[in-house]
Amino acid sequence: MLLNNTELSALADYLVCEIDCSAEYEDDQFAVTFSGVRCYVERYRDEFRVEVGHEDDVVFLPRI
């Protein structure tokens, strides 16, 4: 299952507003479940690299 553009935008907001501020996610590589889809996330200075459900489905989300 893939995420649509609205869900990806919500995921970007979630990563910035919730994950970046959480002590549970201090590492720059972690996994979360969002809208029922398991995502593997790598945090970089300007963006998040997100494998959405599978390593072949990669998106880059801004980290603003």
Side-chain angles (χ1 to χ4, degrees):
M1 180 175 161
L2 298 176
L3 299 175
N4 63 36
N5 286 341
T6 302
E7 292 168 323
L8 288 173
S9 178
L11 175 59
D13 290 342
Y14 174 73
L15 290 172
V16 170
C17 296
E18 300 294 328
I19 299 296
D20 268 353
C21 300
S22 174
E24 292 180 47
Y25 296 96
E26 290 180 354
D27 292 336
D28 288 332
Q29 298 175 355
F30 52 89
V32 296
T33 300
F34 187 82
S35 292
V37 177
R38 191 72 172 162
C39 300
Y40 172 76
V41 181
E42 294 177 1
R43 181 178 12 218
Y44 296 99
R45 192 183 91 208
D46 296 325
E47 66 188 3
F48 294 99
R49 178 188 180 275
V50 183
E51 294 177 6
V52 182
H54 191 273
E55 65 185 29
D56 292 337
D57 299 319
V58 176
V59 294
F60 292 89
L61 302 174
R63 187 175 177 212
I64 300 171

